[in-house]
Amino acid sequence: ELFSHFKPTSSHWAINGSAGMGKSVLLAYAMHVFITDMVIIDRRSDTSFRDLNSFRDKASEIGLAPIDQRQIWLVAQSEKQRDSLKEMHQSFCNEYSRINKFAHFQRVSPRIRLWSEIDSFESCNVLLVDEAHDLSLGAQEIIHQWHNAGPNRYLVVATDRHQKLTLISPSATIIEGMDFTGHTVKLKRNYRNSFPVYIAFWSGVTQ
């Protein structure tokens, strides 16, 4: 179901959702599409009938560089986020192989880094940023300048705008200086339920 929200727009795209809605999973999936030029499709509603389709034409349409020229970076704000993204990346590698072990496609090696580890983004032309609501104004300006500095630079951010509005100001934007109008998908379903909520639900059912 989450894959159906993968609809990247020209030049840049934002995934907006609260905790538990899967925005980091969708971000990791976006990266995997960009490193392979292949998307997951469902031949039927049953996931056992999944297949892989080419993303090459759509990649060109939204402004990605050809796959043999892509330098793809996925950036986290904390070590915990980075490690989680690495695990998700490996899961998608396994899933792609499971879906079609006979598929042959080029695969770019991504760099999954902490923001604090990066001195320059100049060698990167596809940038994906998790928890973008935690970026400082200075970091947002760096991203804005990077995006405008050359052709075929593509940006994806995963953010919780409610957190950002609370932490910064009522007029906060996703990335300062960039217009995300029409470039945002808003996730609405929460996939994370705590154990106490689960127990409370079943206690009510059985009483």
Side-chain angles (χ1 to χ4, degrees), residues 3-39:
F3 298 154
S4 66
H5 295 292
F6 178 69
K7 298 177 181 178
T9 53
S10 178
S11 172
H12 55 288
W13 185 49
I15 302 165
N16 180 29
S18 299
M21 290 186 175
K23 58 184 182 294
S24 295
V25 178
L26 188 55
L27 184 74
Y29 173 62
M31 183 189 74
H32 209 77
V33 173
F34 296 161
I35 69 173
T36 61
D37 262 352
M38 302 293 287
V39 292

Side-chain angles (χ1 to χ4, degrees), residues 11-13 27 30-31 34 64 70-77 111 113-115 118 120-130 135 139-140 142-147 152-158 175 178 180:
S11 172
H12 55 288
W13 185 49
L27 184 74
M31 183 189 74
F34 296 161
L64 287 172
R70 286 180 208 162
Q71 297 289 330
I72 300 173
W73 293 16
L74 176 57
V75 182
Q77 309 300 322
R111 298 177 69 180
R113 305 286 299 279
L114 289 175
W115 179 273
I118 300 171
S120 171
F121 290 95
E122 286 309 306
S123 63
C124 165
N125 56 21
V126 180
L127 178 62
L128 303 99
V129 182
D130 199 16
L135 292 170
Q140 293 177 54
I142 290 172
I143 292 174
H144 182 211
Q145 291 180 0
W146 165 85
H147 187 260
N152 296 123
R153 293 195 171 189
Y154 195 86
L155 172 68
V156 183
V157 296
I175 297 293
M178 295 186 66
F180 279 85

Side-chain angles (χ1 to χ4, degrees), residues 46-111:
D46 188 335
T47 57
S48 62
F49 288 92
R50 281 180 176 161
D51 203 350
L52 302 177
N53 261 18
S54 174
F55 185 72
R56 184 175 299 176
D57 290 343
K58 184 64 176 180
S60 177
E61 179 185 324
I62 65 175
L64 287 172
I67 191 167
D68 59 353
Q69 299 175 22
R70 286 180 208 162
Q71 297 289 330
I72 300 173
W73 293 16
L74 176 57
V75 182
Q77 309 300 322
S78 70
E79 292 185 2
K80 182 178 179 180
Q81 292 168 5
R82 179 199 59 195
D83 294 345
S84 178
L85 291 167
K86 285 183 176 180
E87 290 180 8
M88 283 187 264
H89 169 52
Q90 186 58 54
S91 294
F92 280 118
C93 288
N94 296 339
E95 180 68 4
Y96 269 49
S97 297
R98 186 196 67 79
I99 290 171
N100 191 337
K101 62 183 178 182
F102 301 108
H104 297 284
F105 48 84
Q106 186 172 354
R107 193 189 298 266
V108 177
S109 295
R111 298 177 69 180

